[in-house]
């Protein structure tokens, strides 16, 4: 079939090409820049299943499933989540603002973004804190309990 | 110690303000702003009116009234806000993800934390002033509303 006939039958308005989006920024729901789009993954029926993000030197690439993509624009791709792996390295505070430690790793539910627990390192000790003890997440993580209650529990 | 007090002001329900000096002060999102240098009290009511926070070398101390304090304890102080000065240096992004520059200056309503404008700068463009009404979301970066027309306003001045 000649190319012009194919084009005539397809509604191209509102679509983007792979050239348009490869190399574009990936922005999470909090406005954080995660990296740039490196690959687009398709099924054999040409449906997008997700993207791979290049996060720069010395950082592992990241696959994000299509369900976590909010929208694509000519300049960037927006996610509808803040990837939980980004919590690594954040400071953790109790409900009163007392510093508990730093997130050394995160435990997710299978291959989703759902947080199960965080491992918090403080000096030589490390502790597992379940996700239901987290009050809020921003540039730090606030828990909903006092430090002494966590130690007792 | 003998006490003369009505129920709510019993000694056990109070804290020694001297012990608050040096306690860490955190923004709402968990950024460490500095340490308490002074606790100021209202001379009429004797209630705490606010705190002066020391931010380290080369940074001016700042005062937060108690209206902006969410949690106050000897372990830490958490504010109800993200102080406007923390926006400086954040990326400013249009609703479609175009990076317009970085917030270089922030103006606010009198002494409150209510934003009036942010001034953005980028390498090859003139500085631009963006009113607070055009801001959609402030998080890791500052995202503008969809109806903000970057190309028009950005070339003004």
């Amino acid at each position: 079939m000649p190319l012009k006939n194919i084009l005539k039958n397809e509604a191209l308005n509102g679509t983007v090409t792979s050239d348009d989006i490869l190399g574009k920024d990936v922005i999470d729901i909090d406005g954080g820049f995660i990296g740039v789009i490196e690959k687009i993954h398709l099924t054999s029926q040409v449906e997008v299943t997700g993207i791979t993000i290049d996060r720069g030197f010395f950082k592992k690439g990241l696959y994000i499933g299509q369900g976590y993509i909010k929208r694509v624009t000519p300049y960037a791709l927006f996610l509808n989540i803040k990837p939980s792996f980004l919590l690594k390295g954040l400071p953790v505070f109790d409900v009163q603002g007392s510093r508990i430690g730093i997130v050394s790793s995160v435990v997710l539910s299978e291959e989703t973004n759902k947080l199960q627990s965080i491992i918090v390192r403080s000096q030589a000790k490390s502790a597992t804190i379940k996700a239901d003890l987290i009050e809020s997440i921003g540039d730090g993580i606030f828990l909903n309990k006092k430090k002494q209650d966590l130690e007792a529990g | 110690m003998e006490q003369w007090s009505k129920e709510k002001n019993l000694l056990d329900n109070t804290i020694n303000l001297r012990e608050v000096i040096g306690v860490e002060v955190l923004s709402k999102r968990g950024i460490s702003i500095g340490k308490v240098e002074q606790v100021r009290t209202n001379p009429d009511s004797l209630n705490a009116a606010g705190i002066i926070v020391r931010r380290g070398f080369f940074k001016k101390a700042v005062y937060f009234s108690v209206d902006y304090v969410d949690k106050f304890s000897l372990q830490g102080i958490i504010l109800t806000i993200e102080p406007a000065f923390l926006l400086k240096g954040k990326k400013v992004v249009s609703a479609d993800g175009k990076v317009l520059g970085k917030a270089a200056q922030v103006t606010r309503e009198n002494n409150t934390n209510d934003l009036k404008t942010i001034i953005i700068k980028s390498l090859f463009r003139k500085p631009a002033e963006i009113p607070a009404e055009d801001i959609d979301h402030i998080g890791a970066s500052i995202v503008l509303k969809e109806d903000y027309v970057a190309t028009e306003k950005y070339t003004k001045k």
Side-chain angles (χ1 to χ4, degrees):
Chain A
M1 192 186 292
L3 183 62
K4 66 177 181 183
N5 286 349
I6 299 171
L7 291 176
K8 205 163 44 175
N9 294 332
E10 298 292 334
L12 288 177
N13 287 345
T15 64
V16 286
T17 68
S18 57
D19 270 2
D20 292 334
I21 65 168
L22 287 176
K24 295 291 188 297
D25 289 321
V26 179
I27 302 174
D28 70 19
I29 196 166
D30 192 35
F33 282 69
I34 296 172
V36 295
I37 304 168
E38 188 183 21
K39 290 176 189 166
I40 303 166
H41 298 260
L42 306 169
T43 64
S44 52
Q45 278 78 44
V46 205
E47 285 167 352
V48 175
T49 60
I51 54 163
T52 301
I53 302 173
D54 179 359
R55 297 174 56 219
F57 288 122
F58 308 118
K59 285 183 179 169
K60 280 184 190 168
L62 177 74
Y63 175 80
I64 298 272
Q66 174 265 333
Y68 292 133
I69 297 171
K70 187 178 173 190
R71 64 198 171 96
V72 182
T73 74
Y75 303 103
L77 181 144
F78 288 84
L79 302 181
N80 56 22
I81 51 160
K82 183 181 171 90
S84 296
F85 76 90
L86 292 178
L87 304 186
K88 224 172 155 181
L90 291 189
V92 180
F93 306 97
D94 78 352
V95 68
Q96 294 179 307
S98 179
R99 196 175 278 263
I100 291 175
I102 298 243
V103 178
S104 60
S105 63
V106 293
V107 182
L108 303 176
S109 292
E110 294 169 0
E111 290 190 336
T112 68
N113 193 50
K114 198 177 171 199
L115 194 64
Q116 270 191 343
S117 58
I118 51 174
I119 316 288
V120 180
R121 198 187 64 240
S122 166
Q123 292 162 347
K125 289 189 286 185
S126 74
T128 302
I129 293 175
K130 286 190 177 169
D132 57 3
L133 293 176
I134 294 175
E135 177 70 34
S136 66
I137 298 172
D139 295 297
I141 297 174
F142 286 105
L143 304 181
N144 55 20
K145 279 197 171 176
K146 289 182 186 174
K147 195 176 184 176
Q148 52 267 39
D149 295 339
L150 291 168
E151 285 164 354
Chain B
M1 188 188 292
E2 265 190 287
Q3 294 187 43
W4 283 265
S5 166
K6 290 186 179 173
E7 193 62 31
K8 66 173 184 171
N9 287 326
L10 282 170
L11 185 61
D12 288 347
N13 299 336
T14 66
I15 57 172
N16 182 348
L17 290 184
R18 201 181 283 174
E19 290 176 27
V20 180
I21 307 301
V23 161
E24 189 171 22
V25 179
L26 301 168
S27 74
K28 186 184 178 183
R29 284 175 57 92
I31 292 181
S32 178
I33 291 169
K35 293 192 168 167
V36 178
E37 188 173 71
Q38 291 179 27
V39 179
R40 309 290 295 190
T41 56
N42 181 314
D44 298 325
S45 67
L46 294 183
N47 290 331
I51 51 171
I52 293 179
V53 182
R54 192 179 61 236
R55 299 176 58 213
F57 290 120
F58 308 118
K59 285 182 180 170
K60 285 182 186 166
V62 285
Y63 173 75
F64 294 105
S65 72
V66 287
D67 315 292
Y68 290 131
V69 175
D70 181 24
K71 299 207 170 85
F72 190 98
S73 72
L74 298 180
Q75 283 68 44
I77 290 173
I78 305 172
L79 303 179
T80 57
I81 52 164
E82 208 56 23
F85 58 78
L86 292 180
L87 301 186
K88 275 189 194 174
K90 285 197 178 195
K91 278 183 187 170
V92 180
V93 184
S94 66
D96 56 3
K98 188 176 184 183
V99 180
L100 304 176
K102 283 187 176 178
Q105 243 176 296
V106 179
T107 60
R108 54 198 175 100
E109 301 283 354
N110 302 321
N111 291 321
T112 69
N113 195 51
D114 302 336
L115 275 185
K116 267 206 309 206
T117 60
I118 51 170
I119 293 168
I120 55 172
K121 283 186 181 170
S122 72
L123 207 54
F124 300 108
R125 288 178 182 169
K126 290 176 187 173
E129 195 172 43
I130 297 175
E133 307 89 74
D134 286 332
I135 297 173
D136 181 48
H137 172 78
I138 297 174
S141 57
I142 300 166
V143 182
L144 304 181
K145 286 182 181 165
E146 268 182 50
D147 51 8
Y148 177 77
V149 185
T151 45
E152 273 181 29
K153 291 188 182 177
Y154 208 44
T155 48
K156 281 184 185 173
K157 280 196 173 179

